[in-house]
Amino acid sequence: MAAGKGTRLKSKRPKVLHEVGGKPLLAHVIRAAAEVVPVENIYVIIGHEAERVRTAVAHTGVKFVVQSEQRGTGHAIQSARTALAQFANFLVLSGDAPLIRAETIRRMRDFHIERDATMTILTAKPSDPTGYGRILREGSTDRVAAIVEQKSLRPEQSNIGEINSGFYAFQSEPLYANIDRLSTNNPHGEYYLTDMASLLVAEGHAVMAIRAEDPDEVLGANTISELVGLDANLRMRKARDLMTLGVTVLRPETSVIDDEVRVGSDTIIEPFVQLLGNTTIGENCRVRSYSVISNSQIANDVTIRPGCIIDESSISRAAIIGPYSHLRPGSEIGESAHVGNFVETKKVRLGRSSKANHLTYLGDAEVGDSVNIGAGTITCNYDGVNKHKTVIQDGAFIGSDSTLVAPVKIGAGAYVGAASCITRDVPADSLALGRGAQVVKEGWVKKKREKK
Ligand code: UD1
Ligand code: MG
């Protein structure tokens, strides 16, 4: 179910597209569901901002049912009758509870089938049940008498600690035979799916509860503060998973690591690091504090010093980056290369053991092996209309404060004198100087002083 607006978020974005752990709430639920049933058997009920929601998750291969008016969770399942009645049993999952695990959904399904229940409710006992529907059991059995929503709780029911997770399994025939009996006679004026529990019980059907082992798994996100709590929960889960694989995440509560990120063993992630998107980090690396790495591939034995921003780039074995380097998309840093402070790169291939250690811009450049790029070197890649390429071949030495006006090529082993402005190609093994010649007027100051 993903058709609701999410009124309590006070946001223009539909609730199920709010992100935790780097992706929309709904994407987490679909991922868990797709581990349990074939993806082509998953129907997402959309309604509020339907097209936006559809576009965001269509790539997963799920199907969609449109609930054009959002009149409650019971109405959502009514709207999906044509799609769901073809199955003898189906599962209902809330699109706003992203911590759910596939194994818990599987447990609920197996329980439902083994016990031949008409309706099975996944429940939990969280530390604070406020806001959730509560489970009224029949004594201490696994039978349920009713679900009572927060707003309808009678005073003597307010101490019930067992909540409805919003995840269910149903036998479709008895469900659809009775679903039209739901009413809107409740504080929200909506058709509540939760009312099916007492309706089915009254018809003599078995409604059962199975409790989730970890109450955190069923937490829903109805407010921004709950969203932030779920995000922290997911990040911590990810950091713990990495630690079981031999990665050290120091002060994990400060790190932001997306779900898809892979990190090799013996790597150390220092506090306040963000690893985002499709990022891979090899073994025995160190990522120092305040670095933000997105969609990048980093090999083994690499050191990322503090404060680096690395985006859509690749870094080969034993390279050292930072502090304060900015690797923009298309930067390919070679084995054992160094990129130092306040160096910006974009669409660059920097060869093995080459160094650009200070205050440099390298854009649209191909730099060979063992090249030294002096402090303050700039590739002038843009003429105001087009981008041009700079080629610096193996073993070249670029003096500090040089500007290389592209398109231009510095041959292998060539030297460029400091502060040169290079506008023409430099052949291999030659020295190029492109600067005003130094003039020294001996005694000039002394004479001036004496004149005064
Ligand atoms: C619901 C349950 C509550 C449970 C809680 C668990 C009901 C009446 N209450 O409350 O017992 O403890 O979930 O998180 O079901 N949706 C639709 N169409 C609609 C309305 C909602 O698709 O017309 C979707 C929403 O997008 C959401 C899900 O259903 O993904 C649950 O709706 P929500 O409004 O969050 O229900 P809760 O108040 O959280
Ligand atoms: Mg909810």
Side-chain angles (χ1 to χ4, degrees):
M1 296 182 291
K5 180 166 182 231
T7 313
R8 289 161 282 183
L9 287 175
K10 303 193 169 55
S11 161
K12 291 195 184 68
R13 195 193 300 192
K15 171 161 74 176
V16 293
L17 295 190
H18 276 262
E19 289 188 2
V20 298
K23 64 183 182 198
L25 295 174
L26 179 57
H28 291 274
V29 179
I30 291 175
R31 195 176 100 137
E35 284 181 43
V36 181
V37 301
V39 72
E40 62 271 19
N41 286 359
I42 300 177
Y43 291 83
V44 178
I45 303 176
I46 53 176
H48 176 70
E49 294 257 30
E51 290 321 302
R52 220 171 137 185
V53 178
R54 189 198 295 268
T55 308
V57 298
H59 66 273
T60 59
V62 295
K63 297 191 174 111
F64 296 91
V65 168
V66 179
Q67 180 197 13
S68 36
E69 249 186 303
Q70 292 78 58
R71 300 174 64 191
T73 47
H75 181 250
I77 300 307
Q78 258 169 338
S79 313
R81 185 194 293 252
T82 320
L84 299 180
Q86 59 176 309
F87 302 100
N89 290 276
F90 60 84
L91 300 160
V92 172
L93 313 179
S94 267
D96 67 341
L99 304 187
I100 190 70
R101 286 176 199 259
E103 61 207 70
T104 304
I105 300 175
R106 220 176 270 128
R107 250 185 78 219
M108 168 171 71
R109 178 200 56 193
D110 295 346
F111 174 92
H112 175 74
I113 300 296
E114 276 162 28
R115 307 301 287 274
D116 195 25
T118 301
M119 174 180 187
T120 297
I121 305 157
L122 180 68
T123 70
K125 274 200 168 175
S127 50
D128 179 10
T130 313
Y132 291 94
R134 304 309 150 75
I135 303 295
L136 253 62
R137 292 218 185 206
E138 285 180 357
S140 51
T141 68
D142 44 20
R143 293 251 180 170
V144 173
I147 304 173
V148 186
E149 290 302 298
Q150 169 80 30
K151 284 202 174 162
S152 310
L153 281 177
R154 290 203 303 274
E156 71 272 18
Q157 293 170 330
S158 60
N159 63 350
I160 299 174
E162 185 172 21
I163 62 137
N164 167 28
S165 66
F167 294 95
Y168 320 83
F170 288 103
Q171 286 175 356
S172 56
E173 199 278 318
L175 172 73
Y176 281 117
N178 289 287
I179 200 164
D180 294 334
R181 295 169 53 214
L182 286 175
S183 83
T184 56
N185 182 19
N186 56 56
H188 282 116
E190 289 186 346
Y191 294 101
Y192 286 170
L193 185 59
T194 47
D195 286 346
M196 285 313 301
S198 54
L199 271 176
L200 289 169
V201 169
E203 293 295 304
H205 289 284
V207 177
M208 300 199 145
I210 176 171
R211 193 181 301 159
E213 276 156 17
D214 174 6
D216 283 359
E217 256 189 77
V218 305
L219 295 178
N222 298 308
T223 63
I224 295 283
S225 137
E226 285 171 359
L227 272 174
V228 171
L230 294 187
D231 184 73
N233 197 312
L234 273 169
R235 303 300 185 181
M236 188 55 83
R237 201 193 258 183
K238 177 70 185 182
R240 290 223 179 90
D241 287 350
L242 289 176
M243 289 193 258
T244 64
L245 300 173
V247 179
T248 302
V249 184
L250 297 168
R251 303 294 300 272
E253 68 279 13
T254 67
S255 65
V256 175
I257 306 177
D258 280 354
D259 210 28
E260 285 79 15
V261 171
R262 279 163 294 160
V263 185
S265 64
D266 296 313
T267 285
I268 298 172
I269 312 284
E270 292 192 1
F272 296 101
V273 163
Q274 299 195 26
L275 305 176
L276 308 174
N278 172 27
T279 290
T280 306
I281 299 191
E283 295 176 1
N284 198 36
C285 293
R286 188 167 191 112
V287 184
R288 307 213 49 198
S289 294
Y290 311 113
S291 290
V292 180
I293 303 175
S294 352
N295 300 313
S296 294
Q297 316 312 316
I298 295 176
N300 297 343
D301 306 316
V302 168
T303 302
I304 311 290
R305 290 174 169 157
C308 292
I309 299 176
I310 299 173
D311 200 7
E312 292 177 35
S313 294
S314 67
I315 300 174
S316 301
R317 208 187 64 78
I320 301 175
I321 311 295
Y324 310 113
S325 305
H326 185 186
L327 273 49
R328 291 168 51 206
S331 300
E332 296 172 31
I333 309 302
E335 191 174 321
S336 303
H338 291 191
V339 176
N341 351 227
F342 305 107
V343 173
E344 174 182 345
T345 64
K346 186 218 71 174
K347 262 199 194 164
V348 160
R349 223 164 46 83
L350 187 65
R352 190 169 359 101
S353 301
S354 288
K355 296 188 174 89
N357 268 331
H358 330 267
L359 302 159
T360 284
Y361 173 61
L362 298 173
D364 302 293
E366 205 169 291
V367 180
D369 298 343
S370 303
V371 167
N372 190 81
I373 308 278
T377 297
I378 305 289
T379 53
C380 308
N381 58 330
Y382 187 48
D383 61 12
V385 183
N386 295 308
K387 298 280 171 66
H388 301 281
K389 194 163 175 182
T390 301
V391 176
I392 304 173
Q393 292 183 323
D394 294 352
F397 179 97
I398 312 297
S400 293
D401 195 28
S402 293
T403 48
L404 309 174
V405 181
V408 72
K409 181 168 141 188
I410 314 294
Y415 270 47
V416 169
S420 290
C421 176
I422 300 297
T423 54
R424 280 180 284 126
D425 288 355
V426 179
D429 296 324
S430 33
L431 168 67
L433 292 166
R435 63 188 186 211
Q438 181 169 334
V439 175
V440 176
K441 298 190 174 175
E442 269 184 59
W444 184 90
V445 179
K446 195 171 171 228
K447 261 186 232 155
K448 182 179 151 103
R449 219 181 287 127
E450 283 164 357
K451 232 183 189 171
K452 262 195 185 160

